[in-house]
Amino acid sequence: MKTMSDTPEEMPDNATDQPLVIFAQFAYNQEQFIREAVEGACAKTYEPLEIIPSDECSTDRTFKFIQEMADAYAGPHRFIVRRNTINLGTTLNTNMASTEARGKLFVVGSDDTSKPNRMSFLVNTWTGAGRPKDAVHAGRETFRKGQIIAVEPATHRFSNRLLEGFAQSYWIHAAALTCAYTRGVFERFAPMLGGSIISHLYPAIGWPIVRI
């Protein structure tokens, strides 16, 4: 574990009254992309921010690269680097990371890249909606071979149907990796069980890359 703040417990209620945001990055055998993803996390402009790269017992150099970058980081954000001893799947990996998070908003990511102002946009949207207890999401760009092939803005910046849509397995305008979940989601619902092959499936079927 690498900590960049001596008093992280004070971060959620600092002088600017900005909520502590958690950025959890889930990784499994993504050594080709993980450096860019972690660099993107470090470049986020929002503060206070806690970055939690969570490795799924990768068999390549993914975790090595994460640890090296966390050790070399000297910026304002706080790092918590973790690694599962076995591959738990995306769902249980999310549960494990959430138990170590203290923030009020839990933002998820993988080897995708996102804009530096992503957290600020999510926090402003969430605050503007009265800080509801569910989820808020950003828009996304999908591109292949360097060319943007689809743009889906956050047409529903806050939706009561967001969590319902994921639970019922029907498609809505928010992809999971564009979302921020509130602390209340993890407190109100029992821990999720089972795994997921979604993150592992993308490279195998050649889906395009998503930028959030």
Side-chain angles (χ1 to χ4, degrees):
M1 178 186 298
K2 183 179 179 66
T3 299
M4 296 309 302
S5 171
D6 293 329
T7 56
E9 66 278 1
E10 298 178 4
M11 295 174 68
D13 299 306
N14 65 7
T16 62
D17 196 33
Q18 289 287 89
L20 173 63
V21 173
I22 305 302
F23 187 26
Q25 293 186 297
F26 305 118
Y28 176 70
N29 286 356
Q30 293 165 327
E31 64 175 26
Q32 183 179 355
F33 308 105
I34 197 61
R35 286 188 180 275
E36 183 179 2
V38 175
E39 287 173 355
C42 294
K44 294 294 177 285
T45 57
Y46 180 84
E47 295 181 45
L49 180 66
E50 192 170 80
I51 303 169
I52 306 181
S54 186
D55 181 68
E56 269 281 69
C57 196
S58 294
T59 58
D60 62 3
R61 296 176 294 174
T62 297
F63 181 72
K64 177 178 180 292
F65 292 161
I66 291 173
Q67 191 68 67
E68 289 176 352
M69 297 184 72
D71 289 342
Y73 180 71
H77 307 318
R78 180 174 184 258
F79 261 93
I80 297 178
V81 177
R82 62 179 313 280
R83 187 186 197 190
N84 297 327
T85 56
I86 60 173
N87 189 304
L88 298 175
T90 305
T91 301
L92 293 178
N93 197 9
T94 302
N95 285 342
M96 296 294 291
S98 70
T99 62
E100 300 187 28
R102 288 182 288 271
K104 296 182 180 179
L105 274 182
F106 189 87
V107 182
V108 296
S110 182
D111 61 340
D112 302 301
T113 60
S114 56
K115 295 181 178 179
N117 66 343
R118 179 188 180 192
M119 309 310 175
S120 297
F121 173 85
L122 289 169
V123 170
N124 290 340
T125 302
W126 180 59
T127 300
R131 297 193 177 189
K133 296 182 178 180
D134 293 307
V136 63
H137 70 93
R140 69 182 186 272
E141 296 175 351
T142 306
F143 57 98
R144 189 193 302 273
K145 296 181 180 179
Q147 299 295 318
I148 296 176
I149 61 175
V151 177
E152 297 190 40
T155 53
H156 303 286
R157 293 188 176 186
F158 173 76
S159 172
N160 291 323
R161 300 177 61 245
L162 189 59
L163 297 180
E164 176 189 349
F166 290 150
Q168 298 296 329
S169 298
Y170 57 76
W171 182 252
I172 52 179
H173 291 286
L177 290 184
T178 71
C179 292
Y181 306 94
T182 66
R183 168 60 55 189
V185 171
F186 296 97
E187 293 174 345
R188 285 160 45 218
F189 296 98
M192 298 176 290
L193 300 178
S196 170
I197 63 170
I198 293 176
S199 294
H200 305 170
L201 184 62
Y202 282 164
I205 62 179
W207 279 20
I209 305 299
V210 174
R211 178 170 59 213
I212 303 162

